[in-house]
Amino acid sequence: DGGITQSPKYLFRKEGQNVTLSCEQNLNHDAMYWYRQDPGQGLRLIYYSQIVNDFQKGDIAEGYSVSREKKESFPLTVTSAQKNPTAFYLCASSPPAGGAFFGPGTRLTVL
Amino acid sequence: GDSVTQMEGPVTLSEEAFLTINCTYTATGYPSLFWYVQYPGEGLQLLLKATKADDKGSNKGFEATYRKETTSFHLEKGSVQVSDSAVYFCALSDYRDDKIIFGKGTRLHILP
């Protein structure tokens, strides 16, 4: 089945630690995205990538980093520089015609 | 920059009531417009889309028409069900940079 997978579903991190969230898609989409969602809030764009080996900052990129070495994969690293990382993180990919497909999300909690 | 504004919730309706969730947008180009739905603890699912002015997107009884003159894309359903309870997001995408911009979401509660 085609789709987007994110792992893990729940993640706990101690303050000061970096953590990497996985996102994989087998839909053959060029565009991929990372969003952050806080309780009762909308989605805020962290980073997006239109093609392999290229990515752009979104509205809240500070404290995050990404890579796009393969078309299928777009991992997000939450660094210790991110002051308030506890949130629900959503990965998506999109075909050229638009209409993104979302993964199930990773809920990150900083202890 | 481009933006999306949608009505604040929560919206509470009785089963079989008529639903409207307002959405307006600001864009410099000619964006595609979308409605997504999110159930608790899950990712977003694409509900419907429209790619040009006067297009009507529809799915599962929901409809929305791309109105360029009023820069709107309001979501409607004639008769809601308890299972429609979720958060609904309006979004736009501009082909020039592939960015997808979301509204803040509207929580919908349907009472039996």
Side-chain angles (χ1 to χ4, degrees):
Chain A
D1 287 326
I4 298 182
T5 57
Q6 291 185 243
S7 61
K9 189 171 178 64
Y10 298 96
L11 187 57
F12 298 89
R13 187 194 95 175
K14 293 182 179 180
E15 280 194 38
Q17 288 181 337
N18 292 355
V19 63
T20 298
L21 282 59
S22 169
C23 177
E24 303 278 334
Q25 54 102 356
N26 61 4
L27 300 166
N28 201 34
H29 292 163
D30 285 313
M32 296 188 74
Y33 309 81
W34 275 105
Y35 290 90
R36 169 180 172 142
Q37 186 177 29
D38 294 287
Q41 301 293 313
L43 278 69
R44 291 185 289 170
L45 182 63
I46 304 173
Y47 270 98
Y48 67 108
S49 168
Q50 294 172 278
I51 199 166
V52 173
N53 292 322
D54 188 42
F55 48 83
Q56 288 77 41
K57 292 182 178 180
D59 300 319
I60 56 164
E62 185 175 351
Y64 300 96
S65 66
V66 293
S67 63
R68 187 83 187 278
E69 297 176 0
K70 298 187 300 181
K71 188 175 188 177
E72 302 80 17
S73 179
F74 191 41
L76 173 74
T77 297
V78 184
T79 75
S80 57
Q82 170 50 235
K83 298 304 179 187
N84 186 21
T86 294
F88 189 47
Y89 291 87
L90 288 161
C91 179
S93 71
S94 179
F101 292 76
F102 279 80
T106 293
R107 189 167 300 281
L108 173 64
T109 302
V110 173
L111 303 173
Chain B
D2 295 356
S3 66
V4 175
T5 302
Q6 60 184 106
M7 62 189 292
E8 292 191 21
V11 173
T12 302
L13 296 171
S14 296
E15 204 165 23
E16 300 183 2
F18 184 87
L19 168 70
T20 300
I21 300 179
N22 291 337
C23 171
T24 58
Y25 68 91
T26 302
T28 53
Y30 300 94
S32 295
L33 302 174
F34 309 90
W35 276 100
Y36 290 84
V37 58
Q38 185 180 33
Y39 298 100
E42 298 183 5
L44 276 69
Q45 300 173 26
L46 178 64
L47 182 59
L48 53 85
K49 71 176 184 180
T51 57
K52 63 182 186 297
D54 300 325
D55 268 3
K56 177 185 281 188
S58 61
N59 186 26
K60 300 180 181 179
F62 291 91
E63 293 183 340
T65 301
Y66 190 141
R67 302 285 188 199
K68 191 170 183 293
E69 63 276 12
T70 55
T71 62
S72 65
F73 193 55
H74 305 321
L75 182 68
E76 297 180 337
K77 187 175 184 183
S79 176
V80 293
Q81 306 300 313
V82 172
S83 57
D84 293 328
S85 299
V87 181
Y88 292 81
F89 291 91
C90 185
L92 68 80
S93 174
D94 191 320
Y95 74 92
R96 293 174 297 177
D97 63 9
D98 283 331
K99 282 181 73 172
I100 306 174
I101 297 170
F102 287 85
K104 292 189 175 181
T106 302
R107 185 173 297 278
L108 175 64
H109 294 293
I110 305 300
L111 304 175

